Every structure is written in structure tokens, then in C-alpha cells.
Amino acid sequence: GAVVSQHPSRVICKSGTSVKIECRSLDFQATTMFWYRQFPKQSLMLMATSNEGSKATYEQGVEKDKFLINHASLTLSTLTVTSAHPEDSSFYICSARVPGGRETQYFGPGTRLLVL
Amino acid sequence: GQNIDQPTEMTATEGAIVQINCTYQTSGFNGLFWYQQHAGEAPTFLSYNVLDGLEEKGRFSSFLSRSKGYSYLLLKELQMKDSASYLCAVTDSNYQLIWGAGTKLIIKP
């Protein structure tokens, strides 16, 4: 299957700082990437859909000014958690959709964010 | 509204067979996915069904009935490493992926 990388895998930061998470499709070009958040023992929650060269589409209840998404190229999308607070601590997972055919999403390994 | 139902938790014995069911009600249908997610890790793709019938891939098989809005994931010869959550997801008419809450599968020796 397609390979998606995510960096960093784990980050610990102080409250008020901003954290940037990168998501890369390594062996294919992804016009669409997705950002999910998952709290412990809960299901995946889609935060936003990231489209290359255009603005991201955010799900209801997700603050676009707090979770900045940039999809500057066909292989890279970034999520920046601005002014992070302890309640933003979560597992953030990106996925990339292989274009054409099945529209299968392949997931990155995830980033565990802990805000102190 | 759009809805995907799957059992919250199932328990099975090592070496046995288990079937995880998924029913869905979505606005349109463009395919159904099964993903496996181990605790603390991201989901990994298992299978895709868009036509009725059974798709077999090694120890795992996935079945789809579009008329019934129903799918199942069948795991044979269960191994301890199969302990994970299994997520059912459906692509609707807008190619949005609608996720089920996942079924936590516990394998006992």
C-alpha cells in the first residue's frame, strides 16, 4: 500500500506554544489529505480536509484559527496547533487519499501531543 | 442522517473464527472499508468492498450486501496479535468517508 509519514511522532510542549505537524505522502501524490484527532479510547474524529493549493475544509466545531492547515504541495500537508493548551493534548493522525479508483485513505503513524 | 453501527466490543479465542458486523445508512454509497487499529497506533487499511460479495485476503475476508446496507469482516485462525479495534467506514455519494466507532476485539488464549 501507499506510504504516509508523519513528523514528529511525539511532542511535549508548554501551554501557549505552537506545534507544527507534517504529513507526507512518500510514494504518491495526494491532492487530498485529512487530519484526524483521537482521544484515548474514542473513535477517530475528522478535523479537516486539506486540498492542495486551496483552503482546508474544517468540520463543524473545529476552530480554523487554532488549527492551521497548509497543503502547499502534492506530497505535504502541515497542521499547526496554535497557542496549544492542555485540552489540545491528543493523538493527531493524518491520512492521504490515493487519487482515482477506490479513494482509499492511507494513514500516517500519528503524532502524540502532550501540552503541559 | 448518516450512521454506521458496529458492536463496541467482542471477545474470541485464539485459533478460532470471529465475524465483526457493520451496518450502515448513508446518503449514497461508493465503497466500504475496513481498517485495523492497534492501541496507540494509527489505522491500517485491511479491505475495500464496492460490489456485493466476499473478498478474501489471507486470514481476513470482507463481505458486502449493498441492498441490506451490511458488511462483515471475518477473521480466521485468530492470533493474539489480532487484538485491536476494527473500524468500518463507508464512502458516501460525495466521497466523504463516514466512520464507525470501531469494534474492540479481545483475543483470549
Side-chain angles (χ1 to χ4, degrees), chain B residues 5-19:
Chain B
D5 287 316
Q6 49 181 132
T8 305
E9 187 174 296
M10 297 182 71
T11 303
T13 306
E14 190 177 15
I17 299 173
V18 71
Q19 178 175 310

Side-chain angles (χ1 to χ4, degrees), chain B:
Chain B
Q2 314 221 77
N3 195 49
I4 296 189
D5 287 316
Q6 49 181 132
T8 305
E9 187 174 296
M10 297 182 71
T11 303
T13 306
E14 190 177 15
I17 299 173
V18 71
Q19 178 175 310
I20 303 174
N21 295 325
C22 170
T23 57
Y24 62 89
Q25 294 171 312
T26 57
S27 52
F29 177 84
N30 277 302
L32 185 143
F33 297 87
W34 283 97
Y35 284 83
Q36 180 191 60
Q37 185 177 25
H38 284 102
E41 298 181 12
T44 55
F45 170 76
L46 286 179
S47 68
Y48 171 78
N49 294 69
V50 68
L51 299 176
D52 290 349
L54 188 68
E55 295 272 347
E56 296 186 76
K57 193 187 293 186
R59 294 188 299 114
F60 293 5
S61 303
S62 56
F63 171 83
L64 174 68
S65 168
R66 288 172 296 171
S67 63
K68 294 181 180 178
Y70 167 71
S71 171
Y72 67 73
L73 180 69
L74 190 71
L75 293 76
K76 301 177 185 176
E77 300 170 19
L78 285 170
Q79 302 175 10
M80 297 304 292
K81 67 178 182 179
D82 297 330
S83 292
S85 286
Y86 292 86
L87 308 174
C88 173
V90 171
T91 306
D92 68 9
S93 56
N94 293 321
Y95 288 95
Q96 294 279 80
L97 198 58
I98 315 298
W99 291 89
T103 298
K104 183 179 180 182
L105 178 62
I106 300 168
I107 310 295
K108 294 185 174 179

Side-chain angles (χ1 to χ4, degrees), chain A residues 1-6 23-25 27-28 30 32-34 36 93-99 102-109, chain B residues 33 35 42-46 48 57 97 99:
Chain A
V3 180
V4 177
S5 71
Q6 201 171 328
C23 178
R24 293 180 186 272
S25 57
D27 52 359
F28 65 100
T32 305
M33 291 184 172
F34 303 86
Y36 292 86
I93 315 171
C94 75
S95 71
R97 188 161 67 191
V98 177
R102 299 176 172 186
E103 307 284 330
T104 303
Q105 289 186 32
Y106 290 91
F107 287 84
Chain B
F33 297 87
Y35 284 83
T44 55
F45 170 76
L46 286 179
Y48 171 78
K57 193 187 293 186
L97 198 58
W99 291 89

